């Protein structure tokens, strides 16, 4: 035994005591490799010669290295001897079916290319911004502090913890990358990041939108595509981090020096504020990104308690019914929301001229019919989407900025504007909601006596993209079903006009009211419209179609008042939120126009002190209130003291 040991030690000195260098193929001492981590054992397992046959091209150089993973050179202490003995003469062929041995040059190219792609993926994931407009070439020339620290940590860890840390880091990096991509979508639609606590319900709403816009097949394909992409990102980032970790271990001295250089460069650039254009070279963007998310989660959890206190305060909760809304008794009051009717439609130079013409025309025609109007601005709690949050803010007098608040509101006994009308017993309260096409349990909360959804308006025409019923037909249906009935009591109606809902293609256009019939005429009108696929290739076409949709909604409303309004008609119409950033050109403002139209001059006299602008178009400097303030101001103006 002693002779065998001595013989092995001698051969180890001349043979196994050195191994091919990963870059040159020449031999380097054991002390420069991870072999030093074998625990100092000099004994070799039986059958060691068989392992030589299992050598395969090194993943970076094509030179021979021991078979197995990159950490095979440094097994865990106490287990290396047994593992080596079990591996004697049992090594698998290198590569699939031994292709690496047969094609070493191709194997080397594939290995190097895969490593480069892994490096690019990790760098992109570390440096990717969470907003599309911030993506530029300089964004990927930065030094990420998180990447430098992770590299140093991986080099310092023992083999087994290092493997675990590499896999966990890869998964975590993939999740952060996915979250950044979700943020991009939210910024494009809602002009804000995804809320990890409150926004999960919007995923269901998004799939519903896909189904209603592109059909069931389009919805299924989109969902499958998202799931596949999610899994691919997580798997690829994990594999990439593991591969780069193995590479660093095989070239530990080079990796350590590189990490030290990058760390020094980061500190220097951060201290001196070095930039490429407006982009700083040194960044800790991921740490800040995750820190903001932690703050967001804390705020979301705290918000429920804050909202509960706010909802408990109601200035009119104890007001007797006979003292509510006395200034509107006997009037038909219509609260009408125009989908996505935002300030951009009035202020944007590319739309202002055409929108201004429509508003002036509407003001003139209403005035000729005996109606006056006043207009101002409200600030919506949302932008881009989330109409139900704006509607509930307007009606409840509370700032409903997220789904958590909406659910809390609709399961509470908080009184809304519509409920107060019903409480008086002086109005029949109805809702015209053509955008609702399935069960809407929250509708009961708003206290409406009857709700007409898309299935109960008598419409037999086509959908216009997302829009189930064109606005002109919705208003005509309201006239037929409620307003035009004889011997009726006064009506308070909440009407939601949906033709100006994204994606604004194709859109309907005004026709003679007498030709509306059951809506079948809109089949021909839809064929004459634009193709949404073509429209959305060009942002300017999107903006043009949006403007036309807003003009159609305004005309549908003002022509209805001109045609069917009378001395007792009071119309309040407003936008629910601004359109998506594609239309607003990145403007994150949340202002929407609001207008009161009435035939009875006394109705408008009660709001004379509001300072609103005459006509359907609010002046740029007209008063601007939060949408949650409207309910109480309106009820005060039309109460006994108004």
């Amino acid at each position: 035994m002693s002779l065998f040991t001595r013989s092995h030690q001698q051969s180890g000195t001349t043979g196994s005591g050195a191994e091919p260098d990963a870059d040159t193929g020449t031999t380097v001492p054991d002390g420069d490799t991870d072999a030093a981590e074998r625990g100092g054992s000099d004994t070799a397992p039986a059958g060691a010669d068989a392992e030589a046959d299992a050598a395969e091209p090194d993943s970076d150089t094509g030179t021979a290295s021991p078979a197995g993973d990159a950490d095979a050179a440094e097994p865990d202490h106490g287990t290396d001897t047994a593992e080596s003995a079990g591996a004697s003469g049992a090594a698998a062929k290198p590569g699939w079916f031994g292709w690496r041995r047969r094609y070493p040059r191709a194997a080397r190219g594939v290995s190097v290319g895969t490593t480069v792609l892994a490096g690019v993926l990790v760098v992109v994931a570390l440096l990717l911004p969470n907003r599309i407009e911030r993506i530029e070439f300089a964004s990927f020339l930065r030094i990420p502090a998180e990447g430098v620290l992770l590299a140093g940590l991986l080099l310092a860890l023992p083999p087994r913890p290092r493997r675990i840390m590499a896999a966990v880091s890869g998964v975590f990096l993939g999740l952060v990358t996915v979250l950044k991509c979700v943020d991009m979508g939210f910024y494009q639609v809602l002009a804000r990041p995804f809320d990890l606590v409150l926004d999960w319900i919007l995923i269901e709403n998004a799939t519903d939108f896909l189904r209603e816009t592109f059909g069931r097949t389009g919805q299924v394909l989109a969902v499958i595509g998202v799931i596949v992409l999610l899994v691919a990102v997580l798997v690829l980032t994990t594999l990439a981090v593991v591969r780069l970790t193995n590479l660093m271990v095989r070239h530990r001295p080079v990796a350590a020096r590189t990490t030290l250089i990058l760390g020094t460069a980061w500190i220097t650039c951060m201290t001196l504020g070095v930039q490429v254009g407006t982009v700083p070279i040194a960044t800790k963007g991921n740490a800040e990104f995750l820190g903001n998310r932690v703050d967001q989660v804390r705020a979301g959890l705290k918000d429920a308690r804050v909202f509960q206190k706010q909802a408990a305060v109601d200035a009119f909760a104890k007001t007797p019914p006979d003292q509510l809304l006395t200034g509107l008794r006997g009037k038909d009051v219509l609260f009408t929301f125009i989908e996505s009717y935002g300030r951009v439609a009035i202020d944007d130079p590319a739309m202002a001229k055409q929108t201004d013409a429509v508003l002036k025309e509407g003001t003139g025609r209403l005035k000729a019919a005996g109606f006056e109007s006043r207009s101002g601005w409200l600030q919506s709690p949302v932008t881009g989407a989330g109409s139900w949050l704006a509607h509930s803010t307007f009606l409840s007098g509370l700032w409903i900025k997220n789904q958590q608040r909406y659910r809390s509101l609709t399961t509470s006994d908080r009184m809304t504007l519509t409920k107060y009308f019903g409480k008086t017993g002086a109005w029949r309260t109805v809702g015209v909601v053509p955008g609702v096409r399935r069960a809407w349990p929250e509708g009961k909360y708003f206290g409406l006596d009857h709700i007409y959804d898309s299935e109960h308006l008598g419409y037999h025409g086509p959908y216009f993209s997302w829009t189930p019923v064109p606005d002109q037909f919705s208003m005509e249906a309201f006239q037929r079903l409620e307003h035009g009935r004889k011997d009726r009591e006064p009506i308070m109606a909440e009407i939601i006009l949906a033709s100006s809902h994204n994606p604004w293609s194709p859109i309907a256009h005004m026709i003679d009211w007498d030709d509306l019939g059951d809506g079948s005429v809109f089949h021909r009108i839809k064929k004459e419209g634009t193709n949404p696929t073509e429209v959305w290739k060009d942002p300017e076409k999107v903006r043009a179609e949006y403007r036309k949709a807003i003009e159609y909604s305004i005309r549908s409303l003002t022509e209805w008042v001109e045609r069917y309004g009378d001395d007792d008609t009071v119309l309040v119409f407003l936008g629910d939120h601004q359109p998506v950033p594609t239309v607003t050109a990145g403007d994150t403002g949340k202002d929407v126009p609001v207008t009161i139209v009435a035939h009875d001059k006394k109705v408008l006299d009660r709001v004379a002190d509001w300072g609103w602008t005459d006509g359907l178009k609010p002046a740029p400097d007209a008063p601007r209130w939060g949408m949650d303030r409207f309910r109480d101001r309106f009820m005060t103006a039309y109460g006994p003291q108004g």
Side-chain angles (χ1 to χ4, degrees):
M1 184 66 181
S2 60
L3 292 175
F4 172 80
T5 303
R6 185 163 50 250
S7 174
H8 175 73
Q9 289 172 338
Q10 292 171 352
S11 66
T13 303
T14 58
S16 61
E19 62 182 26
D21 181 74
D23 295 310
T24 65
T26 60
T27 59
V28 296
D30 278 356
D32 290 341
T33 70
D34 289 335
E37 294 182 33
R38 292 179 177 271
S41 175
D42 291 330
T43 59
D49 291 339
E51 289 186 357
D53 294 333
E56 57 178 318
D58 181 79
S59 60
D60 292 287
T61 66
T63 58
S65 61
D69 64 19
D71 288 325
E74 43 180 358
D76 297 328
H77 301 305
T79 63
D80 54 330
T81 303
E83 290 178 356
S84 299
S88 298
K93 291 183 178 181
W96 293 324
F97 308 105
W99 74 275
R100 288 186 176 182
R101 179 176 294 167
R102 294 196 301 271
Y103 308 104
R105 190 182 298 273
R108 174 184 171 82
V110 170
S111 181
V112 171
T114 304
T115 301
V116 170
L117 290 176
V120 170
L121 177 59
V122 170
V123 169
V124 169
L126 285 169
L127 296 176
L128 183 70
N130 68 332
R131 301 181 66 166
I132 292 178
E133 63 270 20
R134 293 180 181 174
I135 298 178
E136 54 182 303
F137 181 72
S139 300
F140 301 100
L141 299 178
R142 298 177 293 169
I143 303 174
E146 302 83 6
V148 176
L149 292 174
L150 179 61
L153 178 61
L154 291 172
L155 286 172
L157 288 173
R160 181 171 294 177
R162 179 173 60 243
R163 288 192 291 269
I164 296 173
M165 185 65 185
V168 171
S169 298
V171 173
F172 186 74
L173 183 60
L175 290 173
V176 171
T177 303
V178 169
L179 183 56
K180 289 180 180 179
C181 292
V182 173
D183 271 3
M184 291 181 194
F186 267 68
Y187 274 113
Q188 287 299 104
V189 177
L190 301 176
R192 64 172 177 82
F194 176 73
D195 192 311
L196 287 168
V197 176
L198 307 172
D199 281 342
W200 294 103
I201 185 63
L202 299 183
I203 295 176
E204 180 183 357
N205 294 332
T207 59
D208 290 343
F209 175 79
L210 289 171
R211 184 185 68 250
E212 294 157 356
T213 304
F214 303 106
R216 181 69 176 177
T217 302
Q219 178 197 30
V220 171
L221 291 176
V223 171
I224 292 175
V226 170
I227 294 174
V228 170
L229 185 60
L230 171 63
V231 174
V233 169
L234 295 179
V235 171
L236 290 176
T237 53
T238 303
L239 293 176
V241 172
V242 170
R243 186 177 186 86
L244 294 179
T245 301
N246 294 338
L247 179 65
M248 289 192 302
V249 170
R250 288 197 301 272
H251 305 283
R252 183 183 297 275
V254 175
R257 287 194 298 270
T258 303
T259 302
L260 181 60
I261 292 171
L262 288 175
T264 303
W266 187 92
I267 294 173
T268 302
C269 292
M270 176 62 72
T271 303
L272 300 178
V274 180
Q275 296 183 335
V276 176
T278 59
V279 179
I281 294 295
T283 176
K284 50 181 179 178
N286 288 292
E288 294 174 348
F289 174 76
L290 295 174
N292 291 337
R293 278 308 195 275
V294 172
D295 292 341
Q296 183 190 64
V297 170
R298 289 175 178 170
L301 297 175
K302 181 180 178 182
D303 184 64
R305 297 189 297 271
V306 174
F307 181 70
Q308 186 177 14
K309 293 180 180 179
Q310 294 173 346
V313 179
D314 188 342
F316 299 93
K318 297 181 180 180
T319 303
D322 61 353
Q323 295 183 30
L324 292 170
L325 301 162
T326 54
L328 293 172
R329 298 299 173 104
K331 305 294 184 183
D332 294 318
V333 184
L334 284 60
F335 296 103
T336 306
F337 295 91
I338 297 180
E339 173 68 37
S340 300
Y341 178 32
R343 186 162 187 160
V344 65
I346 294 175
D347 286 355
D348 191 289
M351 310 179 202
K353 183 177 180 180
Q354 297 91 331
T355 306
D356 185 60
V358 171
L359 294 174
K360 283 185 177 180
E361 177 190 359
T363 300
R365 295 180 66 164
L366 289 176
K367 195 166 187 176
F371 289 88
E372 297 291 335
S373 53
R374 304 286 186 274
S375 299
W377 302 105
L378 297 179
Q379 183 184 29
S380 175
V382 293
T383 183
S387 301
W388 61 97
L389 304 181
H391 300 168
S392 54
T393 294
F394 179 83
L395 296 173
S396 71
L398 295 171
W399 194 249
I400 311 300
K401 61 181 180 180
N402 55 51
Q403 193 66 19
Q404 177 175 273
R405 287 190 168 209
Y406 180 74
R407 286 181 171 177
S408 298
L409 174 70
T410 54
T411 55
S412 72
D413 57 0
R414 170 78 178 191
M415 293 293 288
T416 62
L417 196 52
T418 49
K419 279 185 176 180
Y420 275 124
F421 271 92
K423 184 179 179 179
T424 66
W427 283 273
R428 170 175 165 78
T429 59
V430 301
V432 179
V433 287
V436 174
R437 60 201 78 183
R438 63 178 183 177
W440 186 42
E442 298 95 332
K444 296 179 180 179
Y445 164 74
F446 293 101
L448 300 171
D449 295 327
H450 191 80
I451 295 175
Y452 297 95
D453 59 21
S454 61
E455 301 297 323
H456 298 89
L457 294 176
Y459 180 68
H460 295 281
Y463 277 29
F464 282 78
S465 191
W466 182 89
T467 307
V469 184
D471 291 348
Q472 187 181 9
F473 190 93
S474 295
M475 295 305 302
E476 178 66 23
F478 170 66
Q479 176 64 24
R480 169 171 39 87
L481 296 169
E482 288 287 345
H483 189 264
R485 292 167 57 183
K486 296 181 179 180
D487 301 325
R488 60 172 176 79
E489 57 188 321
I491 299 172
M492 188 242 73
E494 178 190 356
I495 303 174
I496 301 175
L497 300 182
S499 288
S500 50
H501 194 288
N502 183 351
W504 310 300
S505 176
I507 55 175
H509 60 73
M510 297 298 296
I511 61 175
D512 192 299
W513 291 80
D514 294 328
D515 295 337
L516 287 171
D518 65 356
S520 298
V521 65
F522 286 101
H523 284 287
R524 172 182 56 81
I525 295 173
K526 181 177 180 179
K527 291 179 180 179
E528 298 171 353
T530 54
N531 184 331
T533 303
E534 293 300 318
V535 167
W536 278 86
K537 291 179 180 179
D538 183 355
E540 291 308 313
K541 289 183 179 179
V542 174
R543 287 157 58 81
E545 293 301 302
Y546 163 78
R547 173 184 55 78
K548 293 176 184 177
I550 293 297
E551 292 172 5
Y552 170 70
S553 296
I554 293 173
R555 285 196 173 103
S556 297
L557 194 55
T558 55
E559 287 190 21
W560 182 91
V561 174
E562 181 186 16
R563 180 180 177 88
Y564 296 116
D566 55 32
D567 293 351
D568 293 324
T569 299
V570 177
L571 168 67
V572 180
F573 74 92
L574 67 152
D576 49 12
H577 55 70
Q578 286 261 63
V580 296
T582 301
V583 177
T584 61
D587 181 10
T588 58
K590 297 181 179 181
D591 289 357
V592 297
V594 57
T595 300
I596 297 179
V597 179
H599 196 283
D600 186 348
K601 188 176 182 299
K602 294 180 181 178
V603 172
L604 294 179
D605 287 344
R606 284 182 172 252
V607 297
D609 62 343
W610 287 4
W612 285 15
T613 309
D614 289 347
L616 302 182
K617 177 185 175 182
D621 59 349
R624 175 177 173 267
W625 308 335
M627 194 176 281
D628 57 329
R629 296 174 61 190
F630 181 86
R631 189 202 75 159
D632 287 5
R633 283 179 175 264
F634 185 86
M635 293 185 66
T636 299
Y638 293 104
Q641 306 302 321

